Amino acid sequence: MRAVPVFLWHSVADDPPPWIAPFTVTPAVFREQIDRILDSGLQVVPLRRLVAAIRGGAALPPRAAVLTFDDGFEDFYWTVAPVLADRGLPATLYVTVGALHPPGGEPTGSLLPRSGRMLNWRQLTTLDLLGIEIGGHSQTHAQLDTLCGQRCTEEIAGCKQRLEDALGHEVVSFSYPHGYSSPAVRHRIAEAGWTSAAAVQDRFSSAADHPLRISRLMIRSDTPTERFGAWTAGRGARIAPLPERPYDKAYRAYRRLRAAAGSPVGGPPQD
C-alpha cells in the first residue's frame, strides 16, 4: 500500500489562546511546512479523490497528499486561505458549527472556549465560494463515542443540516472531534449521509483505508522538522488500515464512565 499523508492542522497564529497553543503553528512555520510538502514531490489532491480511491474509484497519483484543518478558527480565513490560494492547493476545513457566529453576533454554543477566535458564517460562505471544501466537525465538539441515542444523532445530523442550510448545497465530509469514533458512531455517520469521516491516529492513510475512519497526521506546535520531513517522504508512521487495539476499546469505556459521571476526559478547558 502506498502511504498517503493526510495532514491535520488546527490553528495557524502567532498569539493563540493557551488552550489551543499546543496545537497551533505560526504562520511562518505553516508556510515552511506547505513548501516542504511541495518540494518533496507530493501532489496535493482534494479529499474527495482519496475517498473515491478508497471506495474503488480512480487511482491516486503515485505520491499524493491531502490537507485538512479542524474546528474553524478565524485564522484560516486571514492566514491559511491566502497561502493555499497562492499555491493553488485544495484543502478541507471541518468546522464545529456551534462555535461559529454571525458577523458581530454570538455563537449558538459549543464545548470550545469562547477565547478561541472562530470564523463567522459570512467568512465560511466566502471560503466555500473560493473552493475550500467545508466539512462538519459536529455541533458542539463533543466526544461522540461517549454519547447515546438522540444526542449523538443531533451532533452528527444537526451539524450537516446547519451547514447545508448555510451553504446552499450538500456537505458530505466529516471529522470526529478529538478523533474519537466507534462502530455505532460510524453507523450514525453513514445514516446521516456523510460519505467520509476523518479520525486522527497519527498514521498514513492509503487507498485501502476505511472511508469513515480516515487516518491523519496531526501537526502540533512541537512537531519536529525532522518528523514532518519524514512524513513528506512517506516514513515515520504506520499505514492504515490497522485494526482497533484493545487499548482503544478500554480507553473508550473509561471515557464513557467519566462522561456519565459528569467529568469527561480530555478536551479544552472551559472559560
Side-chain angles (χ1 to χ4, degrees):
M1 294 183 290
R2 288 197 181 103
V4 179
V6 180
F7 296 102
L8 162 60
W9 290 270
H10 288 82
S11 179
V12 178
D14 285 313
D15 58 344
W19 66 269
I20 196 62
F23 305 98
T24 300
V25 300
T26 67
V29 167
F30 177 69
R31 288 191 294 270
E32 291 170 1
Q33 290 173 338
I34 292 296
D35 289 339
R36 184 76 175 263
I37 290 170
L38 298 178
D39 291 344
S40 74
L42 286 168
Q43 181 177 342
V44 177
V45 300
L47 174 71
R48 64 177 176 273
R49 288 195 59 183
L50 172 60
V51 175
I54 291 172
R55 293 187 176 277
L60 291 166
R63 299 198 63 228
V66 177
L67 312 181
T68 69
F69 301 79
D70 276 8
D71 294 336
F73 290 95
E74 188 182 39
D75 55 59
F76 188 95
Y77 185 86
W78 297 109
T79 303
V80 175
V83 172
L84 300 179
D86 286 346
R87 293 157 177 79
L89 300 177
T92 298
L93 171 64
Y94 299 107
V95 297
T96 302
V97 295
L100 307 186
H101 58 91
E106 294 295 321
T108 55
S110 77
L111 299 176
L112 298 175
R114 290 290 186 97
S115 58
R117 294 181 286 273
M118 313 305 288
L119 290 163
N120 65 49
W121 285 99
R122 184 182 298 163
Q123 290 168 329
L124 189 76
T125 57
T126 299
L127 291 169
D128 179 64
L129 291 171
L130 292 174
I132 299 296
E133 182 189 13
I134 306 301
H137 196 44
S138 82
Q139 296 234 49
T140 70
H141 208 272
Q143 298 180 31
L144 299 178
D145 62 340
T146 68
L147 305 181
C148 298
Q150 186 61 28
R151 187 177 171 201
C152 186
T153 298
E154 288 172 356
E155 289 281 351
I156 293 168
C159 171
K160 192 173 197 292
Q161 187 64 58
R162 289 185 66 186
L163 284 174
E164 291 180 347
D165 288 347
L167 301 178
H169 61 75
E170 188 177 29
V171 178
V172 296
S173 301
F174 189 86
S175 78
Y176 303 108
H178 309 281
Y180 296 140
S181 71
S182 67
V185 170
R186 294 191 286 275
H187 178 72
R188 291 179 187 274
I189 288 287
E191 276 192 330
W194 301 101
T195 60
S196 74
V200 182
Q201 301 179 312
D202 283 331
R203 300 167 183 164
F204 292 113
S205 187
S206 76
D209 207 352
H210 194 301
L212 298 184
R213 200 182 179 207
I214 295 171
S215 293
R216 295 186 291 173
L217 302 165
M218 186 189 296
I219 292 94
R220 299 169 171 82
S221 61
D222 60 354
T223 298
T225 301
E226 296 76 15
R227 179 180 300 168
F228 191 88
W231 287 345
T232 65
R235 304 190 308 269
R238 300 176 72 184
I239 303 176
L242 294 170
E244 188 172 66
R245 302 168 298 174
Y247 169 83
D248 298 325
K249 297 178 182 179
Y251 189 50
R252 180 184 303 135
Y254 169 68
R255 289 186 295 100
R256 284 175 174 167
L257 287 172
R258 287 283 300 270
S263 181
V265 176
Q270 298 302 295
D271 288 340

